[in-house]
Amino acid sequence: MRYASVTDRLAGLGGAKWALHYRARAMKAAGHEIIELTIGEPDVPTPARLIEAATRSMASGRTGYSNGRGEPGVVAALAARYSARRGREFARDQIMCLPGTQTVLYAVLRTMAEAGDEVLIGDPMYATYEGLIAQTGAVAVRVPLRPEHGFRMQPADVAARITSRSRVLFLNTPHNPTGAVLRPDDIRALGALAREHDLWILSDEVYEDLVFPNVPFTSPLDLPDLAERTVVASSISKSHAAPGFRSGWCVGPADFCTRLLPLSETMLFGSQPFIGDLTELAVSEHSPVAADMVDRFSRRAEIIARTLDGVGSLRVHRPEAGMFTLVDVRATGLSGSDFAESLLDRHKVAVMPGESFGSGLSGWLRLSLTQPDDRTVEAATRIAAHAASILGNAA
């Protein structure tokens, strides 16, 4: 039988990147005690107030069809939220609601790029980005994100890779997996390149509410001169500890949203009204869980740094936001994948190999910050012991 070419473009770009996580889950199900530092799932349940809102909504009959743009209440709430946060007016026709950030990014990129185009994307990158770009037929042009620059995208590196086929500058701030946050000057310089070369700016800002203390956050939406070319994607998955509800949105130019609407309707023809009602409540208020997550995640990042940084051959990159930290294990002589696989087998600690996030993290590990402090200490201690045993055997 014949298959669409998109299946070839996406081969190996889905769950294969999470193979170690799935193996760890299988070991856990088989009775092994695993310290899981793989995925970015919030460490608290979805707030009861949001669950109750969804329950009331379902009980009142809000279980019928919706529309492709989103329920009027949540669209209005998002327009108000972004107007307040960005200091300028956002209208309802600049909002589109879809099930989760992943679906948003899929649809937005489908609206921006096609075969023959190029999408400029930082490397390392979140594991699904490569597939999101490939599904459009466009080519991902990797822009190195370097440790010496705090993994922040450098305008000179972008400029060196722009061609006549460049269509989209894909940003992620705060960044997964590095926890880097672009500064105002970074955004201005990158925005100037986008204007000069007529590029779309797509900015995934799902970790906006999880920025650590004393770190400034800036969005391309803050700059009115970038308004005609900027689309921001986000959701309640991280900020409100509600990943299972799959509730996301994008904010951008009204004309862009008008063009995106038929694609959304063709894909989904609307999200669930009761989830829209839950999201309306969530985005109308400050998150009741985000501040405490920031406190815990920043504290655990410091725990890992104190335990591992400079111990033996290991180096730790401190994040500025989000729920992950990075450990450089290159001096052990192992790849991130080999280190992570043997760590799981010998010490029952599950971490993500850096290679799952691009060649820019070859020889690194990504550790989630979602385990309790004592388990985080224990995991870091086991990682240090594993590195010591590798270096001892090499000697």
Side-chain angles (χ1 to χ4, degrees):
M1 299 299 293
R2 299 172 67 178
Y3 296 92
S5 61
V6 67
T7 62
D8 294 322
R9 295 197 300 272
L10 295 180
L13 297 181
K17 291 178 178 280
W18 305 98
L20 186 141
H21 167 72
Y22 296 135
R23 187 162 79 85
R25 284 281 173 95
M27 292 173 65
K28 191 173 182 178
H32 295 278
E33 185 179 349
I34 305 294
I35 302 179
E36 186 179 290
L37 305 179
T38 47
I39 62 173
E41 193 152 16
D43 61 345
V44 291
T46 304
R49 179 170 163 78
L50 299 185
I51 301 291
E52 291 163 2
T55 302
R56 286 194 307 271
S57 181
M58 285 188 284
S60 70
R62 297 273 290 146
T63 56
Y65 287 117
S66 183
N67 65 75
R69 185 175 291 277
E71 289 294 296
V74 69
V75 170
L78 284 165
R81 168 192 172 108
Y82 278 86
S83 296
R85 288 195 176 190
R86 302 295 173 241
R88 59 188 179 86
E89 188 69 21
F90 287 86
R92 298 183 189 188
D93 60 0
Q94 294 181 255
I95 310 290
M96 288 282 297
C97 297
L98 294 97
T101 310
Q102 183 74 11
T103 308
V104 171
L105 294 172
Y106 182 100
V108 167
L109 281 164
R110 195 75 172 176
T111 307
M112 291 179 170
E114 60 189 351
D117 292 341
E118 294 176 347
V119 176
L120 297 149
I121 179 73
D123 182 359
M125 70 188 78
Y126 180 55
T128 69
Y129 285 178
E130 190 175 0
L132 285 167
I133 295 167
Q135 58 90 14
T136 69
V139 174
V141 176
R142 296 166 182 264
V143 179
L145 307 180
R146 309 175 197 276
E148 59 266 31
H149 296 302
F151 290 106
R152 302 203 315 272
M153 184 177 283
Q154 299 299 295
D157 290 330
V158 175
R161 289 161 177 80
I162 293 175
T163 73
S164 61
R165 296 182 297 277
S166 301
R167 293 292 177 271
V168 183
L169 176 58
F170 190 167
L171 306 179
N172 176 206
T173 182
H175 189 261
N176 178 4
T178 69
V181 179
L182 291 174
R183 299 299 193 264
D185 285 348
D186 299 329
I187 295 291
R188 281 190 286 269
L190 293 168
L193 285 172
R195 289 196 308 274
E196 180 182 353
H197 297 279
D198 194 23
L199 305 179
W200 285 106
I201 299 174
L202 170 57
S203 186
D204 179 352
E205 299 177 359
V206 73
Y207 287 101
E208 177 186 354
D209 286 345
L210 297 184
V211 177
F212 293 176
N214 302 315
V215 177
F217 172 77
T218 300
S219 168
L221 284 182
D222 294 337
L223 306 181
D225 62 345
L226 298 180
E228 67 177 3
R229 65 184 65 257
T230 296
V231 178
V232 160
S234 194
S235 76
I236 61 171
S237 294
K238 310 298 185 182
S239 59
H240 290 77
F245 282 95
R246 312 310 303 140
S247 182
W249 59 84
C250 68
V251 184
D255 182 62
F256 179 89
C257 291
T258 296
R259 289 175 176 268
L260 173 58
L261 180 57
L263 176 61
S264 172
E265 291 171 332
T266 302
M267 290 172 59
L268 303 161
F269 218 98
S271 303
Q272 298 88 336
F274 60 90
I275 292 181
D277 294 343
L278 171 152
T279 307
E280 178 184 351
L281 175 62
V283 302
S284 298
E285 304 176 342
H286 289 293
S287 168
V289 295
D292 287 342
M293 281 195 286
V294 166
D295 179 66
R296 291 192 301 276
F297 297 158
S298 59
R299 182 175 69 245
R300 291 168 192 162
E302 284 302 312
I303 288 172
I304 290 171
R306 287 198 305 269
T307 308
L308 291 180
D309 192 44
V311 175
S313 62
L314 303 180
R315 295 293 180 269
V316 175
H317 170 74
R318 287 174 168 83
E320 298 179 319
M323 51 182 64
F324 307 103
T325 195
L326 300 177
V327 180
D328 181 353
V329 300
R330 288 174 293 180
T332 66
L334 296 185
S335 67
S337 295
D338 288 343
F339 190 103
E341 293 284 354
S342 55
L343 176 69
L344 178 59
D345 288 333
R346 298 176 192 174
H347 295 278
K348 304 301 184 288
V349 177
V351 300
M352 287 297 292
E355 289 82 0
S356 291
F357 306 98
S359 59
L361 278 189
S362 294
W364 292 69
L365 309 174
R366 189 193 76 170
L367 282 59
S368 76
L369 302 169
T370 56
Q371 290 293 325
D373 290 9
D374 59 341
R375 297 286 279 172
T376 300
V377 171
E378 177 62 24
T381 302
R382 294 184 193 183
I383 292 169
H386 187 53
S389 69
I390 293 168
L391 292 169
N393 291 336

